[in-house]
Amino acid sequence: MMGPRQVEQGALFYEFSLDTHVPADHLLRAIDRFVDLSGLRAHLRPFYSTTGRPSVDPELMVRMLLVGYCFGIRSERRLCEEVHLNLAYRWFCRLGLDGAVPDHSTFSKNRHGRFRDSDLLREVFETTVQRCIEEGLVGGEGFAVDASLIRADANKQRSADASEAVDWNDLARIRRSVREYLDTLDEAAWGAASEVQPKFVSRSDPAAQWTGALKGHAFFAYATNYLIDLDHAVIVDVEASRAIRQAEVGAARTMIARAQDRFGLWPARLAADSAYGSAEQLAWLVHERGIEPHIPVFDKSERRDGTFSRSAFTYDPAADAYTCPAGHPLRPRQKVYRTPFPLVDDDGMMRYRASKRDCDACALKPRCCPTTPARKIPRSIHEGARQMARDICASEEGRTSRRERKKVEMLFAHLKRILKLDRLRLRGPNGARDEFHLAAAAQNLRKLAQLIPLQQLSPA
């Protein structure tokens, strides 16, 4: 039997509660327990005028931004539409049924002004890290670090060749991203990371790096750098940088030092790939921070032309000399000079040389140094830290760290596939920082919601 036609009937009074219409298992209900914005207004108060028209509630804007990054809503215009229509979003943003949703332009105005001046989004991210620490999700013993490339909002067709002269000061008068680029030329994570000029430079976002690192078509990109705790893959710190190895290594140092200063986290070990295995980086970890480097050594000493590699020579620390396969010594100096030359080169390498007399009479010379009078072996002044890293990587602990390091790669996959952050919407270094901070905060909040059910919430 067919039921009667549904006809809308007006009513004079309604009893409606948003709370009852948000499902108990909704993600926002689980996340809401961990969003603490109680100190937000005090943090922003110096950046607001004491007179004039009342502003849009900053807590409302931050909650809306968290909704957007948690659910992969990349457009702020679309975010305003979704919050206006979705009851769960309204409940999370404390809007009620008839609360007005701010215009999308309000976000841009605040982001380029007081949000960046006060470093608010960094504060929001660190609040999620502190909550993860309080809930026992951060062990603090083992960390991992890695970087991932995120496409920039820049087009090659509007870029300039490296040899082309561009008046950046003139462009800076009309483009905020160019002004930010000029401001970061001396920073280690940006302009000062490398003296090598990229093949192309974007006129709309010159801080973005032209890169072909993904072995496909080259593109403009930024690098998002994650420092995570290996216990539950909580993001302890995040940093934006140029998409080159030197900048990513510098960002790793910044994040490790900042985690120690902000949260008192002193990890015993750090897992990373070979991009972080330079001699200087390993020495910084071991000697300055006291961290075990579970990192493959960045080493190009192995030869592929059939001659002996450096590994065929044995080093004796007591004699400070190498021994070649034929049993002859290689020392830093084979002669006594009236004016001794420096033992260490500008690149931090010591050269151990064999005696020409030994090499001329050696039967293994064709397999050792067929094109030079005598064999030379370079040794880094940080070879102790390099050897420590080699020993760790060959141990069972090193193999375990290599498996655990994949957790940071899974976070990058989640960032791009679930949160839809495979291409930046904002331009300039500050725009990249804003997006990476919000995305990392959203990932930490989702981690808290996943690992701590409602009945296991720690008492306040």
Side-chain angles (χ1 to χ4, degrees):
M1 173 178 161
M2 183 181 295
R5 182 187 299 274
Q6 185 69 33
V7 179
E8 181 182 1
Q9 296 181 354
L12 293 176
F13 304 100
Y14 289 93
E15 290 186 4
F16 190 91
S17 173
L18 275 180
D19 187 70
T20 60
H21 284 74
V22 179
D25 59 349
H26 197 282
L27 177 61
L28 285 182
R29 189 179 286 278
I31 286 176
D32 185 64
R33 301 169 291 155
F34 307 106
V35 178
D36 181 13
L37 302 177
S38 58
L40 184 143
R41 299 182 71 87
H43 182 79
L44 285 175
R45 186 168 290 114
F47 300 90
Y48 280 89
S49 173
T50 56
T51 61
R53 187 176 62 181
S55 69
V56 175
D57 185 3
E59 181 176 344
L60 168 61
M61 288 188 285
V62 171
R63 284 182 173 272
M64 288 180 64
L65 288 172
L66 289 176
V67 168
Y69 279 83
C70 283
F71 291 94
I73 304 175
R74 304 287 296 119
S75 167
E76 288 166 358
R77 189 186 296 269
R78 180 174 165 237
L79 174 63
C80 293
E81 296 173 355
E82 293 291 333
V83 172
H84 178 73
L85 294 173
N86 192 298
L87 294 181
Y89 296 172
R90 281 185 165 271
W91 172 83
F92 181 79
C93 295
R94 311 293 192 260
L95 278 173
L97 277 178
D98 54 356
V101 177
D103 187 78
H104 65 89
S105 62
T106 305
F107 292 94
S108 299
K109 192 72 174 176
N110 283 273
R111 179 173 57 246
H112 296 310
R114 55 180 64 95
F115 282 10
R116 285 182 182 169
D117 294 341
S118 64
D119 206 10
L120 176 68
L121 300 182
R122 177 81 203 176
E123 183 75 16
V124 171
F125 163 72
E126 291 186 349
T127 300
T128 66
V129 178
Q130 186 61 46
R131 187 58 186 268
C132 290
I133 295 173
E134 294 171 359
E135 296 296 337
L137 301 185
V138 177
E141 290 295 319
F143 281 4
V145 66
D146 205 353
S148 183
L149 301 185
I150 307 294
R151 290 179 180 270
D153 184 23
N155 193 334
K156 179 182 178 295
Q157 303 302 323
R158 299 181 181 180
S159 64
D161 190 270
S163 59
E164 183 179 346
V166 179
D167 190 351
W168 296 113
N169 291 321
D170 184 59
L171 285 176
R173 285 193 285 269
I174 58 175
R175 294 180 181 172
R176 182 182 290 106
S177 60
V178 178
R179 293 197 297 271
E180 294 178 8
Y181 161 72
L182 295 177
D183 292 339
T184 57
L185 286 178
D186 296 329
E187 294 185 15
W190 301 99
S194 173
E195 296 180 357
V196 178
Q197 294 296 322
K199 187 175 182 180
F200 298 102
V201 180
S202 171
R203 286 187 172 90
S204 58
D205 193 356
Q209 180 77 23
W210 178 256
T211 177
L214 298 185
K215 308 301 181 183
H217 294 293
F219 56 94
F220 288 106
Y222 285 91
T224 177
N225 300 268
Y226 276 5
L227 180 68
I228 71 165
D229 183 84
L230 289 175
D231 279 7
H232 295 93
V234 170
I235 303 171
V236 176
D237 207 341
V238 58
E239 184 74 10
S241 71
R242 285 178 66 188
I244 57 175
R245 184 177 63 86
Q246 298 93 318
E248 293 165 4
V249 171
R253 293 191 184 191
T254 299
M255 292 188 294
I256 291 171
R258 189 161 51 201
Q260 293 174 347
D261 294 339
R262 301 284 179 89
F263 306 108
L265 298 175
W266 294 77
R269 66 186 189 279
L270 177 72
D273 57 29
S274 59
Y276 300 85
S278 65
E280 295 79 7
Q281 178 71 2
L282 295 174
W284 182 83
L285 289 172
V286 173
H287 301 307
E288 295 192 28
R289 296 291 169 173
I291 300 174
E292 290 184 0
H294 290 228
I295 304 172
V297 177
F298 187 78
D299 193 354
K300 295 184 178 180
S301 64
E302 291 298 316
R303 295 188 174 186
R304 294 179 174 83
D305 58 357
T307 60
F308 293 130
S309 298
R310 186 169 60 190
S311 57
F313 294 74
T314 305
Y315 180 71
D316 182 3
D320 189 22
Y322 279 93
T323 303
C324 72
H328 301 299
L330 288 81
R331 298 187 177 90
R333 286 197 179 99
Q334 291 289 352
K335 297 180 180 179
V336 178
Y337 293 90
R338 180 177 300 175
T339 304
F341 56 85
L343 291 178
V344 182
D345 297 344
D346 294 337
D347 56 359
M349 304 294 288
M350 298 178 64
R351 312 288 171 175
Y352 289 74
R353 298 170 172 85
S355 170
K356 183 177 181 300
R357 182 181 304 172
D358 292 339
C359 290
D360 287 341
C362 183
L364 298 178
K365 188 177 189 301
R367 297 182 57 194
C368 184
C369 52
T371 61
T372 58
R375 181 62 186 263
K376 299 178 183 178
I377 295 292
R379 178 182 174 85
S380 172
I381 58 174
H382 306 303
E383 193 63 30
R386 285 160 57 90
Q387 189 59 46
M388 179 180 180
R390 292 190 189 98
D391 294 341
I392 291 174
C393 288
S395 66
E396 183 61 31
E397 292 182 353
R399 288 188 284 271
T400 301
S401 294
R402 283 199 294 274
R403 292 193 299 269
E404 291 181 331
R405 192 183 62 80
K406 296 180 180 179
K407 293 180 180 180
V408 68
E409 297 175 357
M410 294 171 63
L411 283 172
F412 289 139
H414 181 270
L415 175 72
K416 296 177 181 180
R417 296 182 181 181
I418 306 302
L419 303 190
K420 310 297 184 184
L421 189 58
D422 55 352
R423 182 186 177 94
L424 291 175
R425 187 175 55 83
L426 306 179
R427 291 175 176 172
N430 286 332
R433 290 190 188 104
D434 290 349
E435 295 218 53
F436 296 159
H437 282 148
L438 283 169
Q443 287 182 292
N444 279 349
L445 288 172
R446 291 175 68 112
K447 180 75 65 175
L448 283 162
Q450 174 189 1
L451 297 180
I452 304 178
L454 282 168
Q455 64 271 18
Q456 293 185 13
L457 187 64
S458 62

